Structures are given as C-alpha cells and as structure tokens.
Amino acid sequence: MILSSFRAHQFRNIGDCELFFTPGVNLLIGENAQGKTNVLEGIYLFARGKSFRGGAERELTKFGTDGFSLGITFRDERREQALTYSFEGGSRRREKNGAPVRLGEMLGVFRAVLFYPEHLQIVKGAPEKRREFLNVAVAGVEPAYLGLYTKYAKILENRNALLKQASKGLPVDREELVAWSESLALAATDVYLRRRAYLLGFTPRAEEQMSAISDEKETLLLTLEADTDKETPEAVADDYRACFLSHLERECAAGCTLFGPHRDDIGILLSGLDARVYASQGQQRSIVLALKLAEGEYNREKTGDYPVFLLDDVLSELDASRRAYLLGAGGERQLIVTSCEETMCGAAENIIRVSGGNYVSAYR
Ligand code: ATP
Ligand code: MG
C-alpha cells in the first residue's frame, strides 16, 4: 500500500497543505514544533479512526478556526482510493471514494503501522502498554477484533460493578454474578484465541527483525502471559470459567475482576534477559522498532501488501548500523519518517522541509 498524497485544512498548526509521497523513504525534516508529527497524526487518523495522541477533534482544529478537514489518496495492488475526514460545525463526516461512510466502514481500508516515541513504553511501561500494542496490531489484520474486545470490556464492566457492590458489603445476587462470569469466560475466550493466533504468526517475524536490526547480535523471544495456555475454544473457556468461579470470594473482596485478557502481559526476552527490566534505551528502541517492522511484515502476509510505515522521531538513539538497516528497509515498503537531523537526508527518496506548518517538497 502506497500513500500518494495527504492534504489538510485548518488541522493543528497547518493552514492548508497538500503533500505528495513516493514509494521508499520519505523524510519530513524540520526543527522542533514545526508540524512534522502533525502530518503523521493526520495520516494515521485514517488507519485508527482517531488521533494517536488522544486529541479530541476540538484540539485538532487549528486555533482560531472552527473545524478541520483531511484527505488522503493511496493505492494498493488493485486500485487508487481516497478517504476524507472532516469536522465542521461540531459534526464529523467521513467519505470513502466520495461516498459517506461510518467509522466501521473506514477502518481497515487504509493500513498503516505507527512508531511514536511514547511506544518505547511498550518495553518498560505497564502491561497495559503491551496489551494496547497487541490490540492495535491484531485489529490491523482483523478489524472485527475491536468489536470482540469492546464486547469483552462491556461484560467486564458489568461484572466489576457487581463485585464493587460486594466489596462495599452491599447485597449481590450470586446467580447474576455467576451468569456474568459465564458471559465473561466466553468473551475472554474470543479475545485470547485471536491474540494467541496473532502472536503465533507474528513472533517469528519479530525475532527475524530483531536479529536483522542488531546485526544478529541480539535475540528476541515473545510470550503471551495469560490465565490459560490452551488451544481449543472449549478448553480455554473452561480455564477462564474456573478462574472466575473459583476466586469469587477474593474478587468480591477486591471489588474487581482479577483474571482475564485485561490482565494479560507479553513477556519480552532479549538475548535471554527480561527486557521489561533490563533493556537499555537503545535496546528498547530497537525492540519497539522490531515489533513495528514485524507488525508490517505480518500485516503483509495476512493482507497481501505492506501497510505504510509512519515513523516519528525513530532515528535518535539508534547507532549508525541500526539507522542504516531501518532506512534501507524502504525497498518495497513505504516509510514516512520525521527527523530534526539534516544528516538523515542522504537516505531519503523524497524530502519535505517543514517550517511553521508550511511544507516544501524536494524530490531527489
Ligand atoms: P518535534 O520535533 O518537537 O516533535 P514537530 O515538528 O513534530 O516537533 P508538532 O507536534 O507537529 O511538532 O507540532 C507543531 C506545532 O503545532 C506545535 O508548536 C503545537 O503547539 C502546534 N499545535 C498543536 N495543536 C495545535 C492547534 N490546534 N492549533 C494550532 N497549533 C497547534
Ligand atoms: Mg514531533
């Protein structure tokens, strides 16, 4: 998948812009606070349906204006497509090839993998960061996963409400709690099996990428740390059922559900050591990069072509050989990379200079 163009109107610090991209490496270069990340945020909004910085639409709207609009054109193996997203007069509108679409119809149409400096938290941050990575990656190849996860989260919320009541000493209908436990076990099974299947295909790709980035100096091993290690839906559901029902007293005292996919973690072993504890800054960056490149590889295996790689400030802290590997990874893949460093220009097919929300392109 190749992003051909991006245009923005009254988005963040951008008045109006239209940018064109080439296959291979595209570099957005400029000093701090000029509007590099804003472009990636606008592009990625089409892949995720929302801002990766968590910005609400009012926040995304350029100061002093009352709405914004964005558009992309891109092509996969078969055709050229266009998506637009606008927020005007308090209402949002999405269009695919000129026809209005709902969020669910937009997700999965344009596929992108994002590296954002906050993603370094995937290695050493709370398990929540690793779960979020996994959720986004799984949804990238199977958009229906988001619906399954939302369903699980809703059932969890209902069960937690009852457990909270119990923890306060208020009366709780035990049969109702058992019924929610059963629904939760089934929903947990759906989430677990998709995560497991994803990791089975993804892990070898991540190991390969880590080995390539580190010039075969480092090995990476990923494991899903869950409350079950079974493979069949029946056996997995049995494990969750047993967890939920045999610890009811403890959960009533805690006031929340202590088991299930919302507590899963991903174990990360780097050359035999727990990276969550021991990885250096550069190693953290390399691991996250390996995960993101592997996400792209696996996405291609499942969908037929590469997603677009959006890499925000990925180059700092990487040594020369790791940088060379990353930028050389262009080839069939399209990379859109931001940097403050002039020295990066040599590796790019297309350079876009960014200054105060203005963009000047220089094809090479
Ligand atoms: P860095 O190299 O520091 O990461 P950057 O070029 O990636 O910088 P951006 O994050 O794209 O910078 O932000 C550019 C500017 O956009 C910032 O100064 C920010 O304050 C400004 N900005 C953010 N939201 C809005 C908005 N709604 N209206 C106007 N300007 C905004
Ligand atoms: Mg930035």
Side-chain angles (χ1 to χ4, degrees):
M1 185 163 274
I2 300 292
L3 180 70
S4 313
S5 72
F6 167 74
R7 73 182 160 69
H9 173 64
Q10 294 175 183
F11 180 76
R12 293 285 194 189
N13 73 335
I14 307 168
D16 277 292
C17 80
E18 184 164 26
L19 307 180
F20 297 94
F21 299 97
T22 55
V25 181
N26 295 262
L27 189 66
L28 287 159
I29 190 149
E31 292 174 2
N32 292 133
Q34 299 305 311
K36 302 182 296 297
T37 303
N38 291 346
V39 169
L40 300 192
E41 186 180 25
I43 297 170
Y44 195 63
L45 199 134
F46 290 99
R48 273 294 293 284
K50 58 181 184 186
S51 156
F52 65 77
R53 296 203 262 206
E57 270 126 339
R58 297 249 171 248
E59 230 174 88
L60 304 180
T61 304
K62 188 171 167 63
F63 301 146
T65 68
D66 60 0
F68 69 85
S69 64
L70 298 170
I72 56 169
T73 57
F74 58 98
R75 57 174 198 274
D76 55 23
E77 278 163 349
R78 279 162 293 156
R79 57 193 166 146
E80 182 92 18
Q81 299 211 72
L83 290 171
T84 63
Y85 189 110
S86 63
F87 177 73
E88 263 143 31
S91 62
R92 90 179 56 91
R93 186 179 170 85
R94 303 179 189 88
E95 284 181 7
K96 180 174 132 192
N97 304 325
V101 284
R102 287 177 287 112
L103 175 63
E105 296 167 299
M106 188 179 82
L107 294 178
V109 176
F110 171 70
R111 288 173 290 107
V113 168
L114 172 77
F115 173 96
Y116 182 52
E118 264 181 35
H119 290 158
L120 295 173
Q121 293 283 321
I122 291 171
V123 181
K124 284 199 169 176
E128 183 194 337
K129 304 287 178 190
R130 288 178 286 283
R131 285 194 296 271
E132 194 186 321
F133 163 73
L134 191 54
N135 283 341
V136 170
V138 178
V141 293
E142 197 181 348
Y145 172 79
L146 280 181
L148 293 175
Y149 195 80
T150 307
K151 183 178 169 200
Y152 173 77
K154 280 193 181 139
I155 297 171
L156 181 67
E157 206 180 304
N158 283 305
R159 188 172 186 269
N160 280 348
L162 282 181
L163 292 170
K164 190 156 192 191
Q165 224 172 296
S167 72
K168 288 182 181 159
L170 297 168
V172 166
D173 180 345
R174 198 162 171 101
E175 271 179 31
E176 201 184 338
L177 199 49
V178 170
W180 280 119
S181 303
E182 174 62 20
S183 308
L184 195 65
L186 297 177
T189 301
D190 281 340
V191 171
Y192 166 80
L193 285 175
R194 267 138 193 109
R195 284 181 174 175
R196 183 178 185 279
Y198 184 88
L199 279 178
L200 271 178
F202 169 81
T203 302
R205 303 287 87 77
E207 291 167 12
E208 279 162 28
Q209 290 299 324
M210 189 69 222
S211 166
I213 288 174
S214 67
D215 219 2
E216 295 183 11
K217 288 193 193 86
E218 253 140 15
T219 60
L220 183 67
L221 199 72
L222 302 175
T223 49
L224 180 59
E225 297 177 353
D227 299 307
T228 173
D229 56 2
K230 305 287 174 14
E231 292 172 27
T232 65
E234 297 75 22
V236 173
D238 279 348
D239 276 357
Y240 280 123
R241 217 170 266 127
C243 267
F244 297 145
L245 294 178
S246 60
H247 297 93
L248 267 186
E249 300 314 320
R250 224 177 108 198
E251 292 189 316
C252 282
C256 62
T257 302
L258 299 171
F259 304 88
H262 65 292
R263 310 280 286 222
D264 284 357
D265 200 350
I266 303 176
I268 308 177
L269 271 190
L270 184 70
S271 302
L273 286 178
D274 187 344
R276 293 174 296 190
V277 183
Y278 295 109
S280 74
Q281 301 258 88
Q283 283 174 325
Q284 285 178 65
R285 200 166 274 260
S286 302
I287 292 171
V288 176
L289 214 49
L291 297 179
K292 297 288 174 175
L293 292 174
E295 188 185 333
E297 291 299 323
Y298 192 54
N299 192 296
R300 179 173 78 151
E301 271 175 46
K302 301 295 271 186
T303 63
D305 66 354
Y306 275 117
V308 176
F309 291 81
L310 306 172
L311 308 176
D312 192 32
D313 202 13
V314 75
L315 300 164
S316 46
E317 283 171 35
L318 286 182
D319 59 34
S321 74
R322 291 176 197 224
R323 280 181 180 191
Y325 173 74
L326 179 66
L327 296 176
E332 272 179 79
R333 295 175 263 199
Q334 184 183 38
L335 272 50
I336 301 178
V337 188
T338 72
S339 178
C340 301
E341 290 178 53
E342 277 301 317
T343 49
M344 289 300 117
C345 289
E349 269 85 27
N350 177 28
I351 296 166
I352 298 170
R353 295 195 178 274
V354 185
S355 172
N358 291 305
Y359 302 82
V360 178
S361 209
Y363 284 95
R364 285 153 56 87

